[in-house]
Amino acid sequence: MDEKKKLINWTAGISTVIVALLIIIVVMEPRGNGVSRAAASRAIALTLAGEDAVRAEGPETSFFPGELQDQWYVKYMDYLYAKGYLDPETCYPSEGSAVSAVTYGELSGWVTAAKGEGEPSLAGYVTEAAGKKAGKAVDKAEFWEFYDAFRAFADPDGNVKEIETDLYGTPGNVDGASPWTAYTKDGKFLFEGLSLDSYIDKTIKLLVREDGIIKVQGVVSDEIVYENAWISGFSGNTVTVFIGNIQREFPVRGVLKNEEEISGQIGDLYLKNGKPSRLVLKKETITGTVLSVREDEIEIEGYGTVPLSEDFKIYRTYGVLKEQKKSDILVGYHMQTFVVAGDEICAALTTEKPEIDNIRVLLMTTNFKSLFHPEITLVCDSMAVLEYGDEKDKKTQSVAAGEPVTISAGDSRLESGRMVFRSANEGGMITVRNIERSQGTPVYPGHMEITGEEEGLLLLNEVDLEEYLKRVVPSEMPYTYELEALKAQAVCARTYAWRQIRGSSYSEYGAHVDDSTSFQVYNNTSVFDTTDAAVNETFGQMAAYDGEPIDALYYSTSCGHGTDGTVWGNDGSATPYLKAVSINEKRKPMDLTSNEAFGAFIKNMDVEAYDSEFAMFRWNAKTDSQILAEKIGGVGQITGLTVTERGPGGAAKALKVVGTEGSKTFTGQSKVRSVLGNTRLVFNRKDGSTYTEWETLPSGFIYIENQGTDENGVTAFTIYGGGYGHGAGMSQNGAQGMAKKGKNYKEILKFFYDGCEIVDIGDVV
């Protein structure tokens, strides 16, 4: 339903409320202080749109003079000027106008603007009635009564929400705080034009839209508890407390005597009317390797599964003190001290920089179909140990070399938690007999962990990171490639793995990654001397940008031009090192965003590129309306396909499908590739070979030609394409082409990841 229809369908009940409300406002004199036009404009603007939309939909040129354009209220009043809610002729854009009280005339104008042409009799009444004292200031209480009614019809989707939160601080009590920033237990909010200092250390109700506070509804309680706060210092009668990433000082005279009792601990600070009444320290701690992190519990080696308190906190206490997120707890590592109280973990203290040296991999079933196994059979080439049972009754079973151990779903040995199968000798290798890979039955270093889930058994391989990479690199790049290309792949793989270890994708299962293409393919092929050398010769090296490991994306083959980080629909600002440039020595961006330019480019078989000699550099396939109808419905007989939007480098971002009964548009490279792909298509590659059985197109770098409609009404299309993969980051075959031309691995990486540096894994925080 469009906006005009929504407004016309404004209910009679709401109309009655607004009419009655405006009658009250018009006939009564203001009873107290008014509301500034700036604050009122902000409230109305944020009711109509979010902060980003307010900025985007404002005028191209501000109504305000240049010297005022950095004032907080300008964007909101500009938005209302642009939308017709304020008239720059009668409400001149100036500082004086902004600080003046909003008037009755403006309230009636806002109702008229919000209603558009709907309910003309009400709009006429409001305009005529308000005209009797249009210039009079509106009393504050009356304005907020009006606002509540206005919000009821102007924000039917409930974007403005009421929340209850604790207010920690504002720029008034936080050194270095950003202007108009409120620190609460629910995060940071902007409170432009409001006064919040009197609400600090209270529980309050707020009206908010996204991260902007529109109004303080009231105080819920003047008694507050800062639970699980980090006590960072004690001097004399003053305690320094770290709350919500800010430092606060409180007088605690008579509570504790000396610094040794209090500093560097977790505690609950009780306040009433802003003054401390009690400080309860929590001194009991536990430590151990984290085995899994779930929504409301953490599994710790030696302690089993321990529940989290409702107000669980995480603090990094080394380097710069900061509050962290639960995702910062890395499974498989021992870098936190856990503070417990009442059989719950109330806080985690990250006491040291993580030394990333192991990775935990979930091994999928044959053909990577599932994470969950009905049965698992393990064999070690040396004496092995099987451990199971709870922490109080741990059982250890010796297993002879070559003796199989089989665990089935429902095995009683899993009732107390995970089972661990490890070699008793360093360097022992474990075969997983129930899995088949390209190399046959795979053999793994490290140890295995088995857990029982509702869906079946999970099999986890914890392995040294460098050993993992020796089985990733040959699975991702042919071992016959040039050593410098393999070394570039090894650095990419290590960087990618580091980010996944920190990312906690599978923390609920105690893992970092799985072994499929969803992450990096692991141990699908055998190890080779060449790929081992590539890993060894780049030991511990990663690619970083501004000191942070990059998102080391890679793909098989380019079309001669790459794309940037916008390929998945975001703005690309998080990956400035991914550039849309030609994949040749010139490394220049080309404008391939029009169908004409891209069509000429992709049909040119002689484009110069580092990977132009590879079969997938150019390809084409024929499809028709009947094949397309297997995935695309609702448009009748398909008669046309057009790429309506292309991203940097020419990758298709939007595809319009036209049929005899309508049209549809599909957006996003992955979606476009999926709807056009079909296992029946035959792909003709540059080297003259063909390939089929692809469910999706090899890439989104495509140009489509309509070949006409036959006597049966079937329309044929030719899809011209290039490359294999998403096109962002390193082309693996491009890396091979560069290596053949004498480029070393660092040159290759800096070509594909603009501005990156090669750093040691131990130097990254």
Side-chain angles (χ1 to χ4, degrees):
M1 184 183 294
D2 59 32
E3 292 302 316
K4 192 170 288 186
K5 288 182 179 179
K6 285 185 179 180
L7 296 170
I8 292 173
N9 288 338
W10 188 22
T11 65
I14 293 298
S15 299
T16 304
V17 171
I18 295 294
V19 171
L21 195 53
L22 285 168
I23 291 174
I24 293 172
I25 292 173
V26 168
V27 300
M28 296 182 65
E29 293 294 328
R31 295 189 297 270
N33 294 331
V35 175
S36 74
R37 188 172 287 109
S41 295
R42 181 173 184 271
I44 296 301
L46 289 180
T47 303
L48 297 168
E51 185 81 35
D52 290 342
V54 166
R55 293 179 183 277
E57 297 174 19
E60 291 186 12
T61 303
S62 175
F63 285 85
F64 285 83
E67 65 269 18
L68 292 179
Q69 288 180 16
D70 60 348
Q71 297 297 315
W72 66 264
Y73 52 78
V74 168
K75 59 182 175 290
Y76 303 110
M77 293 183 66
D78 269 346
Y79 176 80
L80 295 187
Y81 285 132
K83 295 296 184 182
Y85 281 75
L86 287 176
D87 182 354
E89 298 295 326
T90 58
C91 176
Y92 187 73
S94 66
E95 184 175 6
S97 176
V99 300
S100 298
V102 69
T103 66
Y104 291 99
E106 284 156 338
L107 299 192
S108 67
W110 290 344
V111 172
T112 302
K115 285 168 55 6
E117 297 178 4
E119 297 286 347
S121 60
L122 178 59
Y125 166 78
V126 170
T127 302
E128 181 182 356
K132 296 177 183 178
K133 55 176 187 177
K136 295 283 186 180
V138 179
D139 178 82
K140 182 182 292 184
E142 290 176 331
F143 171 78
W144 288 113
E145 288 177 5
F146 166 81
Y147 173 79
D148 287 340
F150 179 87
R151 178 166 62 97
F153 73 86
D155 180 31
D157 296 329
N159 293 302
V160 176
K161 304 182 186 301
E162 186 175 83
I163 69 167
E164 187 175 302
T165 192
D166 298 337
L167 179 62
Y168 301 157
T170 69
N173 73 331
V174 178
D175 291 338
S178 301
W180 300 111
T181 301
Y183 297 83
T184 79
K185 75 173 184 179
D186 294 291
K188 293 190 287 189
F189 291 86
L190 288 176
F191 64 100
E192 295 161 314
L194 303 177
S195 176
L196 291 188
D197 287 357
S198 62
Y199 299 105
I200 292 172
D201 295 329
K202 292 180 172 64
T203 302
I204 55 179
K205 278 187 180 178
L206 302 173
L207 275 184
V208 302
R209 178 157 187 166
E210 298 169 353
D211 63 352
I213 299 173
I214 295 173
K215 180 192 177 189
V216 180
Q217 295 284 68
V219 175
V220 176
S221 175
D222 60 7
E223 294 188 45
I224 193 170
V225 183
Y226 291 138
E227 290 188 75
N228 303 322
W230 174 251
I231 314 300
S232 58
F234 179 66
S235 178
N237 294 319
T238 302
V239 64
T240 303
V241 181
F242 191 71
I243 310 166
N245 273 327
I246 63 173
Q247 297 269 22
R248 294 279 308 280
E249 291 188 350
F250 296 94
V252 286
R253 182 171 43 194
V255 176
L256 290 169
K257 304 267 185 211
N258 58 62
E259 191 169 349
E260 286 71 31
E261 270 189 275
I262 185 169
S263 295
Q265 296 191 55
I266 293 294
D268 294 343
L269 180 63
Y270 292 75
L271 298 98
K272 181 173 176 60
N273 291 321
K275 296 180 180 179
S277 60
R278 189 157 54 111
L279 178 60
V280 178
L281 298 180
K282 300 178 179 180
K283 299 183 178 182
E284 185 180 352
T285 61
I286 59 176
T287 61
T289 300
V290 175
L291 298 179
S292 69
V293 179
R294 298 180 185 263
E295 182 66 28
D296 54 5
E297 60 187 21
I298 295 177
E299 184 183 357
I300 304 170
E301 189 174 36
Y303 295 91
T305 299
V306 187
L308 301 177
S309 69
E310 185 175 347
D311 202 27
F312 171 71
K313 295 286 198 309
I314 308 171
Y315 300 100
R316 191 183 79 176
T317 60
Y318 71 90
V320 178
L321 179 64
K322 64 180 290 188
E323 190 168 335
Q324 296 181 295
K325 299 177 181 178
K326 189 167 62 175
S327 59
D328 290 310
I329 298 177
L330 305 187
V331 295
Y333 287 88
H334 182 172
M335 59 187 214
Q336 274 94 17
T337 296
F338 296 96
V339 181
V340 296
D343 297 324
E344 292 182 327
I345 298 175
C346 57
L349 309 178
T350 305
T351 56
E352 59 185 77
K353 176 181 172 181
E355 298 291 337
I356 304 296
D357 52 12
N358 286 330
I359 188 166
R360 292 164 66 85
V361 189
L362 288 175
L363 305 181
M364 300 186 73
T365 59
T366 299
N367 296 325
F368 306 101
K369 289 184 176 180
S370 175
L371 288 172
F372 302 98
H373 304 253
E375 187 174 88
I376 294 168
T377 299
L378 306 174
V379 181
C380 186
D381 63 1
S382 63
M383 179 68 72
V385 174
L386 181 68
E387 299 171 349
Y388 60 94
D390 59 29
E391 302 308 317
K392 296 179 181 179
D393 186 24
K394 181 69 70 177
K395 293 182 173 61
T396 301
Q397 175 184 332
S398 295
V399 181
E403 179 184 347
V405 173
T406 298
I407 301 98
S408 301
D411 193 305
S412 61
R413 292 172 293 182
L414 290 166
E415 292 177 358
S416 299
R418 68 184 60 229
M419 300 174 67
V420 179
F421 184 80
R422 68 176 86 245
S423 171
N425 303 316
E426 185 176 350
M429 302 292 287
I430 299 172
T431 299
V432 183
R433 285 190 175 175
N434 56 291
I435 294 177
E436 290 294 322
R437 295 288 186 255
S438 294
Q439 61 173 286
T441 304
V443 179
Y444 296 88
H447 73 260
M448 298 291 177
E449 297 178 17
I450 303 99
T451 55
E453 305 289 337
E454 289 184 6
E455 302 92 333
L457 300 175
L458 287 175
L459 178 60
L460 183 152
N461 178 211
E462 178 169 301
V463 59
D464 175 83
L465 179 58
E466 299 297 313
E467 288 297 317
Y468 167 78
L469 296 173
K470 289 177 181 179
R471 289 156 179 82
V472 165
V473 174
S475 297
E476 291 283 1
M477 180 179 274
Y479 75 95
T480 55
Y481 274 24
E482 298 289 321
L483 179 60
E484 294 303 310
L486 292 170
K487 286 162 71 174
Q489 180 68 52
V491 174
C492 284
R494 188 180 291 107
T495 308
Y496 184 91
W498 188 95
R499 287 176 62 97
Q500 295 306 316
I501 291 169
R502 297 301 302 263
S504 301
S505 296
Y506 278 132
S507 60
E508 73 273 27
Y509 294 145
H512 303 126
V513 295
D514 64 42
D515 60 344
S516 75
T517 55
S518 296
F519 295 90
Q520 296 186 110
V521 179
Y522 166 59
N523 211 26
N524 190 45
T525 62
S526 301
V527 296
F528 299 93
D529 291 343
T530 52
T531 49
D532 281 0
V535 174
N536 290 336
E537 291 183 25
T538 62
F539 180 86
Q541 294 180 8
M542 296 195 300
Y545 183 89
D546 278 350
E548 286 291 322
I550 65 171
D551 191 0
L553 301 171
Y554 53 85
Y555 59 100
S556 171
T557 311
S558 82
C559 69
H561 203 288
T563 189
D564 61 15
T566 64
V567 67
W568 290 283
N570 53 40
D571 63 8
S573 60
T575 53
Y577 41 82
L578 298 179
K579 301 290 188 183
V581 295
S582 60
I583 311 299
N584 54 36
E585 289 187 7
K586 296 178 181 178
R587 201 179 177 277
K588 297 291 185 182
M590 300 172 62
D591 185 359
L592 299 173
T593 54
S594 72
N595 280 330
E596 293 75 18
F598 188 79
F601 174 79
I602 206 68
K603 293 172 74 174
N604 182 358
M605 303 292 283
D606 298 320
V607 169
E608 179 187 350
Y610 286 123
D611 44 4
S612 59
E613 298 305 311
F614 289 86
M616 291 304 296
F617 184 72
R618 288 289 180 270
W619 50 264
N620 65 73
K622 296 186 182 300
T623 188
D624 60 46
S625 53
Q626 291 182 333
I627 295 174
L628 292 166
E630 294 177 18
K631 290 186 177 181
I632 304 170
V635 296
Q637 188 79 6
I638 295 171
T639 58
L641 299 173
T642 305
V643 175
T644 56
E645 184 181 2
R646 295 183 182 276
K653 292 181 67 176
L655 173 73
K656 185 176 182 179
V657 181
V658 178
T660 55
E661 298 176 12
S663 65
K664 282 184 177 180
T665 296
F666 298 93
T667 58
Q669 183 194 160
S670 297
K671 188 65 177 178
V672 171
R673 291 169 64 182
S674 176
V675 298
L676 292 178
N678 193 294
T679 55
R680 294 164 58 189
L681 300 186
V682 177
F683 293 90
N684 304 294
R685 301 189 285 192
K686 184 180 178 181
D687 64 354
S689 64
T690 61
Y691 196 86
T692 189
E693 296 300 320
W694 274 327
E695 183 67 32
T696 185
L697 295 186
S699 83
F701 294 88
I702 58 170
Y703 175 73
I704 306 170
E705 284 187 352
N706 188 320
Q707 303 297 338
T709 304
D710 65 16
E711 65 276 9
N712 298 316
V714 177
T715 304
F717 303 91
T718 299
I719 303 172
Y720 295 92
Y724 189 8
H726 48 68
M730 185 180 76
S731 162
Q732 293 168 303
N733 284 329
Q736 170 69 350
M738 291 182 72
K740 281 191 169 185
K741 289 182 178 293
K743 304 293 184 183
N744 65 42
Y745 76 101
K746 290 185 178 180
E747 291 173 314
I748 294 170
L749 292 168
K750 290 180 179 181
F751 177 92
F752 288 108
Y753 307 106
D754 189 58
C756 82
E757 297 294 330
I758 309 305
V759 301
D760 188 84
I761 195 170
D763 295 333
V764 179
V765 176

